[in-house]
Amino acid sequence: MSTLTFTHVGGPTTLVEVDGWRILTDPTFDAPGRTYAFGWGTSSRKTTGPAVAAADVGDVDAVLLTHDHHADNLDDAGRQLLGGAPTILTTVPGARRLGPPAVGLRPWATTTLTHPDRPTLTVTATPCRHGPVGSRPVAGAVIGFDLSWEGQQHGSLWFSGDTVLYGGVRQVAERRRVGTAVLHLGGVRFPVTGPLRYSMTVDDGRELCRTLKPRTVLPVHYEGWSHFVDRPAALERPELAPDPGRTTWAEPGRPVVVEV
């Protein structure tokens, strides 16, 4: 049985180790306490620091960056870490801002990560909308990532990215066989925009999983920041996967082994 090791560092930041590959997502390693502006009158305070220090992450083969322009997905310490990454996959405008070695992908574009001693990883960018209809010019471009490789038995590994539940995300269930879903939740809201949501809630995640039918669900990005209004629901550790016992609320810093 093929397995991967998943470590939730905190927020959206995860480390995935599989068949010799070490993949880091959305690096956030700043200390807590600071308030960051997100634009258009929105801001959020970081309330929890990373469970793994940037210096302790070690070498990584690639960084999957869902977007570069919000500090809860890429902060100052995370930007420093990018300097040592040989490959960075992100949005097209994000790659322009970051420069080489960042590579920009549009939704449903595919690239590969290769190594002579490891299975080839096929990375497919998936759609995101980081807010309500019409919010993209303000919230900016975001993508998710779907990873597949030879030897997977239950389906691909999918990172949803920061997104609300909408038609583009539902396309993932139609176009990919997802075995492990890493879902960005939190139900983000800001006082200046009232009831509008900018990421999925626990209920959204459960609804998506009814269609997606993943074997394993790993929720992330629901804690550690003041703009997560759905955090109390997340702390109840509800089931999101269709089958009981398939949702793992990984304790930050503690590796979890997942069958893939």
Side-chain angles (χ1 to χ4, degrees):
M1 182 69 67
S2 181
T3 62
L4 64 81
T5 300
F6 174 90
T7 303
H8 184 198
V9 174
T13 309
T14 71
L15 178 66
V16 173
E17 300 169 271
V18 58
D19 292 338
W21 290 102
R22 303 184 83 247
I23 309 295
L24 187 70
T25 69
D26 286 355
T28 56
F29 291 94
D30 283 0
R34 178 177 165 189
T35 296
Y36 300 77
F38 291 160
W40 293 83
T42 63
S43 64
S44 184
R45 182 171 57 89
K46 187 170 186 177
T47 59
T48 305
V52 180
D56 296 331
V57 170
D59 294 336
V60 298
D61 299 295
V63 173
L64 306 182
L65 180 59
T66 64
H67 56 304
D68 70 305
H69 53 282
H70 291 156
D72 61 326
N73 294 84
L74 181 65
D75 58 19
D76 292 343
R79 287 181 185 274
Q80 293 180 7
L81 186 147
L82 289 183
T87 300
I88 304 166
L89 301 181
T90 189
T91 64
V92 170
R96 286 198 296 263
R97 287 187 289 263
L98 293 171
V103 175
L105 299 175
R106 300 186 187 280
W108 301 118
T110 295
T111 190
T112 57
L113 303 177
T114 61
H115 187 281
D117 301 321
R118 304 171 193 164
T120 296
L121 301 185
T122 299
V123 183
T124 302
T126 60
C128 291
R129 195 184 75 206
H130 200 359
V133 173
S135 64
R136 188 163 282 133
V138 176
V142 182
I143 56 172
F145 297 98
D146 185 80
L147 278 64
S148 60
W149 60 89
E150 186 176 353
Q152 289 175 324
Q153 298 186 41
H154 302 297
S156 62
L157 167 64
W158 177 53
F159 298 86
S160 72
D162 285 9
T163 184
V164 295
L165 181 58
Y166 78 114
V169 172
R170 290 188 175 94
Q171 288 179 16
V172 176
E174 300 169 1
R175 301 179 62 159
R176 309 296 297 174
R177 185 172 73 91
V178 174
T180 303
V182 182
L183 300 184
H184 291 210
L185 302 178
V188 167
R189 283 196 322 210
F190 298 100
V192 71
T193 53
L196 299 179
R197 299 276 188 170
Y198 293 86
S199 67
M200 288 190 289
T201 65
V202 165
D203 287 342
D204 292 332
R206 186 181 292 110
E207 179 183 342
L208 175 61
C209 287
R210 282 197 290 266
T211 304
L212 197 66
K213 295 181 173 59
R215 186 178 191 274
T216 303
V217 179
L218 299 162
V220 300
H221 211 23
Y222 56 85
E223 44 71 46
W225 290 81
S226 62
H227 61 333
F228 290 133
V229 298
D230 198 44
R231 185 172 181 269
L235 290 178
E236 295 176 2
R237 301 295 191 264
E239 284 286 340
L240 303 180
D243 296 331
R246 298 298 190 184
T247 302
T248 298
W249 295 80
E251 179 182 343
R254 186 181 295 274
V256 173
V257 176
V258 179
E259 292 182 357
V260 293

